[in-house]
Amino acid sequence: MSVTVKSAKEIELMRKAGHLLEGVYEEMGRIIRPGISTMEINECGEKAIRKRGCIPNFLHYGGFPASICVSVNDEVVHGIPRRDHILKEGDIVSLDAGLIYKGYHSDAARTYAVGKISPELKQLMDVTKQSFFEGLKYAKAGNHLYDISAAIDDYVSQFGYGIVQDLVGHGIGTSLHEDPQVPNFRQKKRGMKLVPGMTLAIEPMINMGTWEVIWEEDKWTVVTKDHKPSAHYENTVLITDGEPELLTLHM
Ligand code: MG
């Protein structure tokens, strides 16, 4: 699949898809507290997506059994929601969710604190989020794709954290995953030139310890190899003539 450049009309639909997803996150964010199950978060998110007249794009994607990926502590991404997985004080929980609006996809991820968390976990969450914004500074027409990757890497590496390499960001549009891949670590080359109308899901996944990850027996849940915690932050981003536009976050 080649990289798609969206028309003004398509951009309008993606903007709407992104804005609707932001509302879904507001609803999910409100229910996160010690004592709720990861399944309850999934149900809240799916309901919020459907009541907006949209379709959860993760549901049945490659066989994924839920609408929202809910990953706790050492789970990096693709955590399967469960009735018997109860959040407790001091956990961190990463949600990855997306929806389809009139054929166009949005995709975003956030990591939340459950009750009061340690300063170490707070820093991991803050650095992960900030690394997205460091990459975003380079998401401009005329720059190259891997300028984004290098900026994320340079920022995160100062803290001694591990950057997940097995999973990366991606183009997005009428498919959830389009070309190009958007790595969160430095590449040897600068990659393709960015042009207005490209839409990218930039999504650093940052581990407190090693960058290495393993897949659990359920074939979905990705966990850190050393079982230290991991955080995730993602937005769908539009490349423009000027500053990048965040489609899934209004600041
Ligand atoms: Mg994504």
Side-chain angles (χ1 to χ4, degrees):
M1 189 188 221
S2 56
V3 177
T4 59
V5 173
K6 277 76 178 178
S7 68
K9 197 180 164 206
E10 290 181 298
I11 288 168
E12 206 38 64
L13 292 169
M14 291 202 66
R15 204 173 261 139
K16 181 76 177 163
H19 190 63
L20 289 166
L21 183 58
E22 208 179 346
V24 171
Y25 266 102
E26 274 162 28
E27 292 194 33
M28 292 193 294
R30 277 202 291 270
I31 70 162
I32 290 171
R33 56 176 167 74
I36 70 158
S37 70
T38 57
M39 181 59 88
E40 283 173 273
I41 299 171
N42 174 67
E43 287 166 349
C44 169
E46 175 159 358
K47 217 168 112 189
I49 289 169
R50 294 203 189 275
K51 88 174 181 199
R52 287 169 171 79
C54 300
I55 300 164
N57 49 12
F58 293 179
L59 184 62
H60 308 317
Y61 185 92
F64 190 74
S67 295
I68 315 294
C69 298
V70 187
S71 309
V72 182
N73 296 336
D74 67 337
E75 296 173 349
V76 180
V77 287
H78 306 162
I80 298 175
R82 291 201 330 248
R83 192 75 57 199
D84 63 354
H85 196 160
I86 308 293
L87 298 183
K88 54 184 198 307
E89 179 98 19
D91 285 345
I92 58 170
V93 60
S94 299
L95 308 185
D96 195 349
L99 58 78
I100 310 169
Y101 170 75
K102 294 188 177 173
Y104 285 83
H105 291 250
S106 56
D107 187 7
R110 304 279 184 265
T111 300
Y112 297 88
V114 181
K116 197 170 159 38
I117 59 168
S118 69
E120 291 77 15
L121 283 173
K122 176 79 168 72
Q123 180 181 286
L124 176 68
M125 282 174 54
D126 290 346
V127 168
T128 302
K129 182 175 179 179
Q130 185 58 34
S131 74
F132 166 88
F133 287 97
E134 296 298 324
L136 187 71
K137 290 176 186 170
Y138 292 84
K140 289 179 184 170
N143 284 345
H144 292 254
L145 181 65
Y146 301 149
D147 296 344
I148 299 170
S149 312
I152 293 170
D153 192 335
D154 287 352
Y155 179 73
V156 170
S157 296
Q158 300 173 67
F159 297 88
Y161 293 149
I163 300 172
V164 174
Q165 302 201 3
D166 300 68
L167 301 126
V168 295
H170 50 93
I172 179 169
T174 52
S175 300
L176 174 57
H177 295 114
E178 295 186 352
D179 281 341
Q181 294 201 335
V182 187
N184 298 303
F185 48 97
R186 187 176 274 283
Q187 306 293 300
K188 288 198 181 76
K189 295 180 177 172
R190 284 185 80 195
M192 64 182 302
K193 217 172 200 181
L194 299 174
V195 298
M198 284 176 61
T199 42
L200 304 174
I202 302 173
E203 52 175 319
M205 288 153 264
I206 308 301
N207 301 343
M208 193 175 276
T210 179
W211 60 272
E212 287 183 275
V213 296
I214 49 177
W215 269 255
E216 289 204 324
E217 274 172 26
D218 64 20
K219 305 256 196 312
W220 278 108
T221 315
V222 179
V223 298
T224 57
K225 197 175 175 190
D226 58 10
H227 296 291
K228 288 186 180 172
S230 182
H232 188 194
Y233 189 84
E234 173 184 29
N235 284 301
T236 301
V237 174
L238 170 69
I239 306 297
T240 74
D241 284 321
E243 293 300 313
E245 184 180 331
L246 291 173
L247 301 184
T248 48
L249 179 69
H250 291 75
M251 310 191 47

